[in-house]
Structure formats: C-alpha cells, structure tokens
C-alpha cells in the first residue's frame, strides 16, 4: 500500500498577481514590523530595569542608522495598518442609523482617522513635554 | 462540546488593532526616529529619570504593559493566520509558538514593571 499523496494546489506567489491581494499582504506584513517594534520596547523596559547605564546603551542602539531605517519602514507599515484598520472598521460594526438614515461608511472611517490624528498629536505633545 | 478559544485571541487581536491603529505610528515616530535623530524634540524627552518615573507610576505601567502586550497579541494573530496565505499549513504547533510568544512577552513585561518598583 502506498501512502496517499493528495494533490495540493501550489500557492506560490498568488498574491503578486493582483494589486488588491498585494495590498492585503502588505497590511498583513505590517504585523511583523509591529511585533519587532514591541520587542524593541520590551528590551527598553528590560534595560530600564537594569539602571541608567543599561538604559543609555538601549538609547544609543536606537541611534544606529540601521535602527533608524528599520523604524522608518515600520512607521510606513504600521501607518498603513492604521489607515486600513479605520477604513474597514465600519464593516465590523452593526449598521448605525441617525434620523432614519444609515450613517455612511466613509463617515465612520473619517471618525476613526480623526481619532488616530488626535491621539497622535496628544501623545506627541505629552512626550515632548507640552 | 469543546469551547472554541478563537474569541479570546480575536478579542486580544482586536484590542491590539485599535491601540496600534491609534498609537503605533506616533510611538514609532517618537522612539524610533524623532528622539534618536534629535529632531523635533529635546533629548530629555526620553531621558532616564523621565522614563523611569513613567515606568514607576501606575498609569505608566498600565500604558507600557498595554502597548507592548497588545501590539504583540495583535501581531502574532495576524502572523499566525498569514501562514495559511503563504501556503504553510499551520497547525497547533505554530499556534502554540505564536500565542506562546505573546503570552511570555506579556508576563515578562509585567514582571519587569513590578521589579522596576513604584
């Protein structure tokens, strides 16, 4: 008896054939940058727990040109994730009505994008020291 | 009937998605570009005493734990489900690695924030 060899349709490169799938995969890939960034922050908390010298070494590592290039790419990737997150957000909500009319999806997305902008400005101001 | 664990992971994915969609870009901009290059912000913005004070406050601890752990729960959920898109037939082992990583990182962050003190 030979083992069954079920046919598995090859999937190599399927997402490169269509711009919609490309954008989907770019969005999914943003998760890798988000994960690496979270690990960098976790390393920062670890170095902080070791004292001033260790924390300064972590800050110095962030000044490495490669680190800055990584953060530049990560910024673009996570910003694209944020853009798409609020873009599809209306589809995850129940239909909302005001005055008997359904609120258009673009209005709900705009609220999300505005919240993103407001949160970004508040955090920037707080870290900068107002 | 065995209860599905997907709602738990999806909730963490959703929470991480919201937090990263609100704060991800600005945090990367500040800690990864603005402060290291010394543009747009005084270098004291991330100086040791200031960041230590943040990590020693209850609010700061909650914020750091929420950001680090939810970013990771969000990211590993996406990565795990993307394995299928790449033609990798991910099983229980891949799920254990992905979600296990987020769990260990969450516990490690919480532990570090406790030993940093108050």
């Amino acid at each position: 008896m030979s083992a069954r060899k079920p046919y598995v349709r090859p999937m190599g490169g399927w997402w490169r054939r269509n711009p919609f799938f490309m954008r989907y995969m770019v969005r999914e890939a943003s998760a890798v940058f988000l994960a690496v960034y979270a690990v960098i922050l976790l390393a920062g908390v670890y170095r902080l727990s070791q004292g001033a010298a260790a924390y300064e070494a972590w800050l110095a590592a962030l000044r490495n040109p490669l680190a800055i290039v990584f953060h530049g790419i990560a910024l673009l990737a996570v910003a694209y994730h944020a853009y798409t997150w609020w873009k599809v957000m209306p589809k995850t909500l129940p239909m909302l009505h005001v005055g008997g009319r359904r609120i258009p999806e673009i209005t709900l997305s705009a609220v999300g994008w505005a919240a993103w902008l407001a949160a970004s400005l508040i955090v920037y101001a707080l870290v900068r020291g107002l | 009937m065995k209860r599905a664990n997907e709602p738990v992971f999806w909730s963490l994915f959703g929470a991480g998605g919201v937090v990263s969609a609100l704060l991800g870009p600005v945090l990367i901009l500040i800690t990864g570009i603005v402060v290291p290059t010394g543009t747009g912000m005084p270098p004291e913005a991330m100086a040791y005493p200031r960041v230590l004070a943040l990590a020693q406050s209850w609010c700061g601890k909650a914020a750091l734990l929420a950001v680090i752990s939810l970013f990771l729960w969000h990211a590993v959920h996406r990565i795990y489900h993307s394995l299928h898109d790449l033609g990798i037939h991910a099983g229980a082992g891949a799920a254990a690695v992905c979600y296990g990583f987020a769990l260990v990182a969450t516990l490690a962050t919480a532990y570090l924030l406790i030993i940093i003190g108050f």
Side-chain angles (χ1 to χ4, degrees):
Chain A
M1 284 282 279
S2 62
R4 283 181 66 244
K5 265 185 73 180
Y7 171 70
V8 179
R9 190 165 66 91
M11 286 179 55
W14 63 272
W15 49 276
R16 278 183 231 112
R17 290 175 210 132
N18 180 323
F20 179 84
F21 296 148
M22 280 283 277
R23 290 196 294 272
Y24 165 78
M25 288 303 267
V26 168
R27 192 198 72 196
E28 297 298 288
S30 74
V32 175
F33 289 93
L34 190 68
V36 173
Y37 178 66
V39 170
I40 290 171
L41 288 185
L42 174 51
V45 174
Y46 172 60
R47 301 298 268 164
L48 188 71
S49 76
Q50 292 178 319
Y55 177 75
E56 293 298 334
W58 178 74
L59 278 184
L62 289 181
R63 288 193 286 270
N64 185 304
L66 284 176
I68 292 171
V69 168
F70 164 80
H71 284 94
I73 300 169
L75 174 62
L76 293 177
V78 176
Y80 185 64
H81 149 71
Y83 164 76
T84 60
W85 186 266
W86 302 115
K87 190 163 190 275
V88 302
M89 182 259 294
K91 298 186 195 304
T92 69
L93 296 176
M95 286 189 196
L96 299 174
H97 294 83
V98 169
R101 299 174 72 98
R102 189 178 170 202
I103 302 175
E105 290 193 351
I106 189 68
T107 307
L108 295 170
S109 291
V111 170
W113 290 322
W116 172 22
L117 178 66
S120 301
L121 292 175
I122 290 169
V123 167
Y124 195 92
L126 282 175
V127 177
R128 190 162 190 263
L130 295 169
Chain B
M1 194 177 92
K2 187 177 175 298
R3 286 171 71 102
N5 53 21
E6 182 68 11
V8 175
F9 294 130
W10 201 92
S11 300
L12 289 163
F13 162 79
V18 170
V19 175
S20 60
L22 285 173
L23 305 177
V26 74
L27 289 177
I28 294 172
L29 181 70
I30 293 169
T31 71
I33 298 171
V34 167
V35 170
T37 58
T39 49
M41 222 180 252
E44 306 86 64
M46 275 176 67
Y48 177 72
R50 196 161 183 238
V51 176
L52 184 66
L54 176 80
Q56 287 183 331
S57 72
W58 276 108
C59 284
K61 282 184 202 297
L64 286 168
L65 183 63
V67 163
I68 293 172
S69 72
L70 289 178
F71 278 16
L72 279 170
W73 283 106
H74 173 82
V76 297
H77 185 83
R78 261 204 173 145
I79 291 167
Y80 173 63
H81 285 283
S82 294
L83 293 177
H84 174 80
D85 300 326
L86 294 172
I88 301 164
H89 297 281
V97 169
C98 285
Y99 297 120
F101 182 75
L103 180 64
V104 168
T106 299
L107 295 175
T109 307
Y111 171 75
L112 290 170
L113 289 170
I114 289 168
I115 65 164
I116 282 174
F118 297 88

